[in-house]
Amino acid sequence: MQYNHLKKEDEAIYAAAIGEADRQAKTLNLIASENYTSQAVHEATASRLAEKYAEGYPGRRYYSGQEFTNVVEELAIERAKELFGGKYANVQPLSGAPANLAVYFALLEPGDTVLGMDLSHGGHLTHGHPVTLPAKVFNFVRYGMKNIETGEIDYEALRETAKREQPKMVLAGFSAYPRELDYEKFVEIAREVGAVAVMDAAHIAGLIAGGALANPLAAGFDVMTCTTHKTLRGPRGGLILSQVEEIAAKIDKAVFPGLQGGPHMNTVAAKAVAFREAATDDFASYAKQVVVNARAMAAVFVDHDATLITGGTDNHLMLIDVVESFGIGGDKAQETLESVGITLNKNAIPDDERSPMDPSGVRIGTPAITTRGFDTGASRRLAELICNLLEDPDNDALQTDVAEEVASLAADYPIPDSF
């Protein structure tokens, strides 16, 4: 993208924008929650739609001049519904956390109970961690894995907790869980206790859209939230899909005027573009390759006797106990790999006793490298480089060699402008 006017008006911001583009081009991104977008998504995000207030919904706005914003939002809604099989869609949430907040405040009363995945077992911060706003308003109770080695969720314990706690919402979804959930069991348990079934698909929305993973809405979930970046390859934003008209109406009111004012119409336009891209056969192939690449990398880590939480992966990410595997903490592992051009994130493992700032694990994801065209061979080679370096993290000569090979891979697999 050209930044001619920015260069003239603000050299400092121009330098940062160019620097970030250069950093992305020359490094390999294994952060499971990040990806690249097409140039078309970039252009929609940078369009004049950014300047238009569009408080309300299509046909029910508070300002005039909505001829084109209505077209944009209606297209985004219809494309989202078709992509995921939802009956209703709200495309206005600014990101994943605001989408979850809207669902909570639409469907719950203060003090109501929500049953969600324990953060240390792979759950998400917005699912009731004590530092978050929802935890100050609602009562969150936890479920987790029965077997950390396989990732099996303890569904019987989940059922017993639901019967005991009588939650108003049963919440599925995760940020660091490498396996697929049994959606039918979640729905069954929610129905038993009269709770609404909600899926937070922030991480795997693109894999669902591309048919690489099962669709929670098809399994009977009442609501599904997601981000539109990550595996979906859209702009940073949120989306809420629902299957019940009454629920959809409550969610619309919670988003606006409950939690947000005017939607960011440039981002809504970029979402519409991304939904259109995600409906293609090429995207379906991409989604499947994301999973194939993740499994290929996981196999290499296992070959190196690394400890993978749940023993492998069914989706786009894997979680490695680097303390047990390589004798170093997550912070050093992250810094060591970043020094050679590989970005990932340190991450807690189940029941981690170490600090969140230096946890026992790292999280690795394949969405971004797959967008760059990585196949299983390139993915396996990258995993080999990671293992070699983490096995000997203070070897300066090895760091130099790995950095050179990472730079070569980045050059061989450039970030594409279109998909």
Side-chain angles (χ1 to χ4, degrees), residues 363-381:
R363 186 184 64 170
I364 294 175
T366 56
I369 60 169
T370 306
T371 295
R372 295 179 77 140
F374 269 55
D375 56 14
T376 54
S379 300
R380 288 182 62 86
R381 181 55 189 160

Side-chain angles (χ1 to χ4, degrees), residues 70-370:
N70 285 341
V71 170
V72 164
E73 187 164 350
E74 286 167 352
L75 280 172
I77 289 170
E78 291 307 311
R79 290 174 182 179
K81 291 192 299 184
E82 184 174 353
L83 186 63
F84 291 102
K87 293 181 180 178
Y88 306 94
N90 189 305
V91 298
Q92 293 191 9
L94 302 181
S95 202
N100 285 345
L101 274 176
V103 172
Y104 296 153
F105 283 98
L107 304 180
L108 302 172
E109 296 294 332
D112 281 350
T113 297
V114 180
L115 178 55
M117 181 181 277
D118 191 313
L119 180 67
S120 74
H121 281 228
H124 196 275
L125 194 67
T126 61
H127 297 178
H129 190 279
V131 302
T132 63
L133 175 62
K136 302 181 190 307
V137 180
F138 308 109
N139 174 41
F140 285 84
V141 293
R142 311 286 179 208
Y143 63 85
M145 288 181 271
K146 176 167 64 177
N147 186 341
I148 294 172
E149 293 184 1
T150 65
E152 182 184 359
I153 298 294
D154 195 335
Y155 288 103
E156 284 309 308
L158 195 162
R159 176 177 275 105
E160 290 306 312
T161 301
K163 289 180 178 179
R164 182 178 66 252
E165 300 290 344
Q166 292 294 302
K168 294 292 182 64
M169 180 180 294
V170 173
L171 180 61
F174 47 82
S175 65
Y177 179 70
R179 297 299 184 180
E180 191 159 19
L181 300 174
D182 188 332
Y183 297 127
E184 286 79 8
K185 285 185 179 178
F186 276 95
V187 172
E188 179 183 300
I189 292 168
R191 298 290 182 263
E192 284 183 23
V193 298
V196 61
V198 177
M199 172 64 182
D200 179 351
H203 265 269
I204 59 172
L207 305 183
I208 294 168
L213 294 181
N215 188 335
L217 294 177
F221 272 74
D222 302 298
V223 177
M224 186 170 83
T225 68
C226 67
T227 52
T228 51
H229 43 292
K230 299 187 177 85
T231 53
L232 199 52
R233 292 200 304 202
R236 294 190 63 86
L239 169 68
I240 307 172
L241 297 140
S242 52
Q243 302 296 69
V244 181
E245 185 175 6
E246 181 183 2
I247 288 175
K250 290 179 179 179
I251 288 171
D252 284 350
K253 289 180 180 178
V255 173
F256 175 83
L259 292 169
Q260 298 179 185
H264 298 176
M265 292 308 301
N266 56 323
T267 303
V268 173
K271 291 176 188 180
V273 174
F275 299 154
R276 186 173 186 269
E277 291 174 346
T280 64
D281 291 340
D282 285 345
F283 187 89
S285 297
Y286 161 76
K288 293 176 176 62
Q289 191 64 43
V290 168
V291 177
V292 169
N293 285 347
R295 287 175 172 165
M297 293 188 77
V300 172
F301 295 130
V302 170
D303 288 344
H304 280 258
D305 296 321
T307 301
L308 269 67
I309 304 304
T310 79
T313 183
D314 293 328
N315 55 34
H316 65 302
L317 66 84
M318 62 216 81
L319 191 61
I320 302 176
D321 183 340
V322 290
V323 172
E324 184 172 322
S325 303
F326 305 108
I328 59 175
D331 191 53
K332 181 170 183 178
Q334 176 178 298
E335 289 183 356
T336 300
L337 291 167
E338 186 173 15
S339 72
V340 299
I342 300 171
T343 57
L344 44 65
N345 67 278
K346 56 193 175 188
N347 207 100
I349 63 173
D351 307 316
D352 203 336
E353 296 181 356
R354 293 172 64 98
S355 162
M357 295 307 296
D358 187 17
S360 298
V362 296
R363 186 184 64 170
I364 294 175
T366 56
I369 60 169
T370 306

